[in-house]
Amino acid sequence: QRLEYDLKRTSQLLFDWSDGQAALGAVTIYQAREHWNDADVRIYATNRMRPNANRGGIVSDITPDPLVAGMFYYPGQVRIGAEWNRYGDPGSSLSEDWPRTLAHEFGHYLFYLDDNYLGFNDQGLLVPTEGCTGVMSNPYREDYPYDEFHLLDEWLPACQNTLSHQLTGRADWQTVSTFYTLPDGGAIEPQLNEGPSSLPIDVTRVQVVAPATPDTTLPEPIYYLTQDNQYIATGSSARAFLMRGDWLTDLGQPVLGRLRARGASVGDRLCVFEPGEKRLGCELIAENDQLLALSALPGWQPDIQITPVTTRTIEVDVSNVPSGLSMYGRLYPYNDAAAAAQTLVWDGDSYVRQFNTSAPALAGYVQIWVDEAAPRREAVTDYTIGGNPANIDADEGAPILSRFAPALSSDGQVILFGDLSFEQDEFYSLQIATLSPAPPLWATPVGHSYRLLGTPNAPDLSGASLSFDYIGSQVPDGEETWLKIFYYDEALSVWQPLTTTLDLERNSASAPAHQTGLYALMSSLDIPLEGAGWNLISYPVQDTRPITEALASIEDFYTTVYGYEATDPDDPWRVYDVDVPEWVNDLFTLEFAHSYWINLTEAVTWYLKGPQPSSSPSASPPSAASGFVPLPPATYYGALQTSPGFTPVVGMQVQAVYNGRVCGQALTQEQDGQIVYVLKVSGLLPDGTFCIPPGEHLLLFVDGHLVFPSPVWENHRPIELNLNSPIQIIIPVLFKNWEAP
């Protein structure tokens, strides 16, 4: 009933957007994958798919654009999940977002239109555009002129940077008129009105065809996840799948420990995999069973790499698992029933197998498992192929994409964009990674990692972009404006942040495609530190972290950090330096809302993993109420030398004196059998006066005895200074006996 309502609402929206000239007529709904490959619209059971469509996919054969040389339209489909809201949050549909999005995708599929909220910049990279109105820019707005296909009037300059203009040079209505005419052959033209808002005649007729086989689907297939007999909520890495015979259905992800297994019947196999937490659970569905138990498998985190060799030969490599396992695998093509399972062979480093299919497998799932007692170790991932794969028959329902968007992930979240020209048999593929290298200490992954692969002669990616769509609820609070796409550099074994352009309204991020390999979207807090030398920072994360972890993103750009504890009048300063002995350092953590001095070798951006700061990070001194001294001290450390008449011991007082004023003091301690000291000497005092001006000499005393050397006050970083014993001054006195002559 909801689907029929949404389809009729979609028809009303198209009628409105086209000024009363187009609507959906007869709509036939098939079930259980019947007519899956020749359907105009595929509705997936997953709750995580971002809707997408082939532009001009309504064509029955490869069709050239009559006005744009080199542009072709391929048979395809509209692909949309059973649920959708504009924020991409799984588990719910919001208002009429689903029919509005479907109508927008019909704009691509039926009317050959492109998006008016995206465009290529001067470097050919995909970026968001602003100012172009209409439903191909924002289908969720109901105010004029957003609720219309865009007119030629006012198309320029507002829309000159959109994909529509860059690829075709046409406004929305010009493209519609290019492909459609009136029954008498006349051109279709906009009617220049703000309506109509509803269909005057109920022309949209929805027919639901009963499946050829009896329907055994459970009426309310809701499952609750447990572990060790406790209800649990899984994270963003969790994925759910339903297996029935030779078919596999992606269910998306559980939400708050709850999973809707659309299409489930008694006897089907239901699985949830959560690689991020190293746990999984599978069971055969039984009557009146609404619990799915997950088990922890701490040693199980396979890395499944899927490499399409051709469209009919798919190579699978499973690593990060021990040898000696009875490993099996099965390929489930999107469009065909799966062949029998096959044994994976250990080659010394990993388990490998080539799967061969009789028809092109441009997209599919790969399941691998160990033949053992339950809970057996297993995993599932998927892949897609795009570009110019050979031997593709449009009747087989292959989702061929345009050369400007030649690769699309299975969940619609990642798209490869660029003007890429493919030779025959060359293509790119995208796969959701089952295992990724650990993220930087200062970043939080958002969603899955994706592996981009290409055939040997696939076109160069220079000038191409990767676009990530993300689920807003998966971004840590306060970090959305600092989202970045990362590329994993295999040679350096590090994640490299890429220059990323964000569209916060549409939950989208894009960056230059580096080369084939792993990509991921991650978030952090970004704080620019302005230059070399001392910088005063405020730690904005509502958490206490080890200093090396908190500063991991700039570990090669700083030498010394000072903190100040006003509650310790005898030794208020705390120091951390990257090169001094461990016993010199006494600053071990950074704390929320505390300020610190940090000495940088150059200007750098400080990346932090953390929640919304309570106040904006600042490079200005805090208020006097914090008790912070606005200048780092000088720090001296070293050993005390034993000499005749002087034996250093633990607990001696070391003082720094200038003009009779004590500017710093500390007590001696023992380290590795030596008596040592760490002395911090303040320069500028809280009242604004100098205890010792920079460049002046200090006098050092141990238990009231003057020692050498006498250092110059300098606070660039801690200085090693071994102290000599108290000085003994011997003054000779001469006596002479005088005799009278």
Side-chain angles (χ1 to χ4, degrees), residues 305-562:
Q305 295 196 36
I306 304 173
T307 305
V309 181
T310 70
T311 59
R312 288 176 168 84
T313 301
I314 310 299
E315 188 172 282
V316 176
D317 183 296
V318 183
S319 59
N320 199 47
V321 291
S323 62
L325 301 176
S326 296
M327 183 80 73
Y328 289 85
R330 197 175 190 190
L331 172 65
Y332 291 87
Y334 274 18
N335 300 331
D336 292 290
Q342 299 189 46
T343 304
L344 274 65
V345 179
W346 179 257
D347 69 355
D349 295 308
S350 57
Y351 294 89
V352 297
R353 188 77 198 191
Q354 277 195 352
F355 292 86
N356 297 298
T357 61
S358 57
L362 293 186
Y365 300 93
V366 171
Q367 176 196 17
I368 61 101
W369 68 91
V370 179
D371 186 15
E372 60 187 0
R376 76 181 189 187
R377 289 166 285 181
E378 62 182 293
V380 173
T381 188
D382 49 10
Y383 72 94
T384 58
I385 295 175
N388 190 13
N391 303 319
I392 300 302
D393 186 347
D395 292 336
E396 294 172 332
I400 305 174
L401 304 175
S402 75
R403 76 180 198 189
F404 296 102
L408 172 72
S409 65
S410 60
D411 56 8
Q413 303 286 344
V414 177
I415 306 176
L416 176 66
F417 278 94
D419 189 356
L420 304 177
S421 181
F422 291 83
E423 298 295 330
Q424 187 77 15
D425 300 325
E426 304 298 334
F427 51 81
Y428 280 105
S429 68
L430 276 166
Q431 176 208 341
I432 296 178
T434 57
L435 178 65
S436 297
L441 289 174
W442 41 269
T444 302
V446 176
H448 298 293
S449 300
Y450 295 81
R451 181 175 284 110
L452 176 66
L453 296 175
T455 49
N457 295 316
D460 186 85
L461 290 173
S462 299
S465 303
L466 273 175
S467 175
F468 275 67
D469 291 325
Y470 57 89
I471 297 172
S473 60
Q474 293 181 354
V475 182
D477 290 343
E479 297 184 22
E480 186 175 10
T481 56
W482 293 303
L483 285 168
K484 287 184 179 63
I485 296 174
F486 285 68
Y487 170 77
Y488 188 71
D489 190 317
E490 293 278 359
L492 300 177
S493 298
V494 295
W495 286 100
Q496 302 280 13
L498 304 178
T499 301
T500 303
T501 302
L502 298 176
D503 186 339
L504 301 180
E505 183 178 354
R506 298 176 180 85
N507 289 11
S508 178
S510 60
H514 194 66
Q515 53 186 317
T516 56
L518 275 174
Y519 291 84
L521 186 67
M522 303 188 200
S523 72
S524 65
L525 300 172
D526 295 6
I527 304 174
L529 303 179
E530 299 301 331
W534 290 109
N535 288 253
L536 182 60
I537 62 173
S538 176
Y539 187 64
V541 179
Q542 297 184 33
D543 190 13
T544 298
R545 291 185 184 155
I547 190 168
T548 52
E549 178 183 332
L551 299 177
S553 66
I554 56 172
E555 62 180 352
D556 296 327
F557 300 96
Y558 76 95
T559 60
T560 313
V561 184
Y562 281 103

Side-chain angles (χ1 to χ4, degrees), residues 663-699:
C663 298
Q665 58 187 8
L667 297 178
T668 57
Q669 54 183 292
E670 182 179 352
Q671 291 290 337
D672 298 327
Q674 274 195 316
I675 303 301
V676 298
Y677 75 99
V678 180
L679 179 65
K680 297 152 193 165
V681 185
S682 298
L684 195 66
L685 297 176
D687 61 6
T689 63
F690 278 99
C691 189
I692 174 172
E696 293 292 322
H697 281 269
L698 285 163
L699 295 179

